[in-house]
Amino acid sequence: DLCPSVKNILLLDSEGKRVAVKYYTDDWPTNSAKLAFEKSVFTKTQKTNARTEALLAMHDMEYLLVQIAWLAEITLFENNIIIYKFVQDLHLFVTGSEDENELILSTVLQGFFDAVALLLRNNVDKREALENLDLILLCLDEIVDGGMILETDASVIAGKVATNILDAGAPLSEQTISQALATAREHLTRSLLK
Amino acid sequence: MAQPLVKKDDDRDDEAEYSPFLGIEKGAVLQEARIFNDPQLDPRRCSQVITRLLYLLNQGESFTKIEATEVFFAVTKLFQSKDIGLRRMVYLMIKELSPSADEVIIVTSSLMRDMNSKTDMYRANAIRVLCRITDGALLTQIERYLKQAIVDKNPVVASAALVSGIHLLQTNPEIVKRWSNEVQEAVQSRAALVQFHALALLHQIRQNDRLAVSKLVTSLTRGTVRSPLAQCLLIRYASQVIKESSNMQTGDRPFYDYLEGCLRHKAEMVIFEAARAITELSGVTSRELTPAITVLQLFLSSSKPVLRFAAVRTLNKVAMTHPMAVTNCNIDMESLISDQNRSIATLAITTLLKTGNESSIDRLMKQITNFMSDIADEFKIVVVEAIRSLCLKFPLKYRSLMNFLSNILREEGGFEYKKAIVDSIVILIRDIPDAKESGLMHLCEFIEDCEFTYLSTQILHFLGIEGPKTSDPSKYIRYIYNRVILENATVRASAVSTLAKFGAMVDALKPRIFVLLRRCLFDSDDEDFALDDCYLSLHSGVRDRATLYLNTLGGDGTVVETDKDVKDFLFGSLDVPLVNLETSLKNYEPSEEPFDFSSVPREVKSQPIAEKKAPGKKPTGLGAPPPGPTAAIDAYEKLLSSIPEFSSFGKLFKSSAPVELTEAETEYAVNVVKHIFDKHVVFQYNCTNTIPEQMLENVIVIVDTSEAEEFSEVASKPLRSLPYDTPGQTFVAFEKPEGVPAVGKFSNMLRFIVKEVDPSTGEAEDDGVEDEYQLEDLEVVAADYMLKVGVSNFKNAWDSMDPDIERVDEYGLGPRESLAEAVSAVISLLGMQPCEGTESIPSNSRSHTCLLSGVYIGNVKVLVRLSFGIDAQREVAMKLAVTSDDEAVSDAIHEIVASG
């Protein structure tokens, strides 16, 4: 089949433990196969992590913005392309087949990350993610359906998930979302220009 | 639960271990789920409990059937709540529980109500849930709503229906195919993702209709495509149309202008998709390549690792076929050697190694040496393989490349990595005569300090064959004898064998070898090994071997066997695959009758599919080809001998791989295995009935042999019944002239009685109708009479044949796609086993020699040496030299090629 597809999306913590994962193919049929995959992916990408942390230390004051700016990394592993990005104590991964267009997969990861950042009001860390696990799970549900990419625009994804919390008295309309995103991006550009 | 507004507490770092799910336990959460049954629902609490259930499932916890059913029923109660947030969680939960058919019925009406709700979010999600859990019968009930949803003006609803359609097409194609009008309308949608999803579905619906696909692509490439994802899809479809039409195409390539236009798209993913598509066009010209290479070169200096990676990976592939086209990027590529991302750096290096010219090698090797220390073993292996092919390309540069290999051989590394290096050195020794002496010396130094027994024994074996042929064999003796003194029993035993080989081949060394072998007889320092019985038995193997070799070589004054016998014994190879021998020995029951060596099947089994898929497997330097399973042929032999009609046919010579006689996804799937006997051929038709509403009886294949005159049908065995989805076999047997490799074309018609089956009871009706189903033609070809049997040392095997039976001739193969394609076509035409890794061709070679071996019907050993050359117009010429035990067979092989 020629359609772009995603094999899994993983959200792990800084020890490689699951926060939330979603698999869309039978490549890893059992839970232990999934765990083994997560473990090796986590281990394999550790080296980059060390460098990220060094960089974060340097930018102590603005580390949050740097994290948003931190570009997705990529590697080939067991005939799969893995796009990944680390934020505080969270590790995000998107896996696709080795024939997949890397940039499509990276768009999925970016959409997931930005949507989570919006929904968690930029407090992207493990504790916040666990406390709002429902939002994370809904987010995953809105990005990919059975391997097929549903939506990659973070503000649209967050908007769909946020209808959930409308009546919790925290209006998060599409406008406010795109504004939030714009503000975040503007901060970011400025900090990078310094 | 959902309180994203909570401010970050300052003191939270103190309790780093905090998690809302700390100490969570399945039993307790299942208890909590009882609140779903409360008459007064608390939506927030309920949402929290669902989140906790989902957390458990996500962590890999599983529910028993009873637990899942209970949770499911409780969750269905939550449809009473009007709370939007809770409803979303209910949808998620139902999908995760994947309810059984009778459970689905319970929620169907609630979901159908949501599907027709005014709230878009309800409609979209209800569609996705319902389509995920539904079966065919329910689908026809909701089909009407789904068709409406596809053209819904809310894009989220339309996308939900379209994506669900894509999934449903796998299970219920006949229903989804009825939606093409709506889907076609959705392709025109102004919403970007709706267009993407509609295009994907429409293409899948029409994918078997080439003309329709071609029309679709033509109209869309001229129209407007809004979403970058849809544009990527369209590029893929266009490439497919190009590929399928290329045979009949003359002049300009269709859609090339479209692809080139996409290189100027504003989305990077589209630019890259188009660039990649252009590089993958078959027979792409350098003029066509240029614009794609230019954009990829720009990506190389992007700040985004993903973009750099994608570009360098694509250029790496281009470098295999068009190294010249990539050389323009060499400067950008060299700066990537120090890329933070090691995957990118490795790809850059291997690309440079492919495009590098003779003068840049030394500089490149210097840069790589620094880089090797901090990458993972798997990357190092890639680099080693690239260096090996570079060395074969520029044999004059062997010195610096061999030095590089020996340097990295001394450094730390795992088994696979070390094996890759050793394999490379072995291949260089084999192919570059000048490199032999220094290569062998490097290997000798390596085994002085080698932690891998396997590599030590393989190197010792190789030394035993190559060492005696060098100008000064004596210099290796010290290294080999050191192994006898210092190593574990396995390595000691190989070292003793290697010493014996030097003794047999080099007369001047014989006295020295005898002294050393006699010393091995006193290799009885049992104390070292007394603790370990295993070692002890191997250990005594060292002594046994030494005694055996002393006798064979005549060192003990015993009867000296003839020189030829000695060499056969020391160097001769086992001409059956070891796995086959092992299976036969296991099956052998000790009796009066001695084990008959000739009864061991000699065919090398094809490798299992999983292994075949493993990419980047290069020719192995050491050891025989990997053994495959013998299970298939054993099973066939057993099956055939159990059928009385065939029991008189004698020993099964060969069974082919299954040949498909139907296209994928047809009503009846049939493939055939050709079993070759000396005087007979049996076709085994493996049939599968894919229609649940049908039961087939008295299934037989009617074979027309009008184009296979030497064959006459002697027996057939119908299949009594073929229920849905349970494969069965029917057989047809033919007689053919004894020992003659008769060929021919057979046309096949499946004939059967079809009975309707009541799907609810599974019972077939009494009356059936006779029906026929045309299958594709089948050919028996020359390769069917050839067994793939490898030899471990081709040159020795060739030299041992009678030179009078050798037949040589030259053939022109006309213009071919590539040298590799021509080589593989001849290999498959002959059906022989490629030896010594000669089936793989270094990229960009202009000439190649391929060695094949096999056993022809009548048990005649055949060896073939093929020399290929290709010119600038891709015209391939081939010299074919055949030798065998029988000159008629040598001629027959030429006949096959001449008529192929």
Side-chain angles (χ1 to χ4, degrees), chain B residues 368-385:
Chain B
I368 299 176
T369 312
N370 300 330
F371 160 86
M372 287 300 268
S373 57
D374 59 53
I375 54 168
D377 271 11
E378 51 185 302
F379 289 148
K380 291 182 184 166
I381 293 172
V382 176
V383 174
V384 167
E385 281 169 355

Side-chain angles (χ1 to χ4, degrees), chain B residues 239-256:
Chain B
S239 318
Q240 194 187 34
V241 174
I242 295 174
K243 199 196 276 168
E244 283 167 358
S245 62
S246 62
N247 295 338
M248 32 198 157
Q249 205 63 39
T250 50
D252 276 357
R253 206 191 284 276
F255 299 118
Y256 176 80

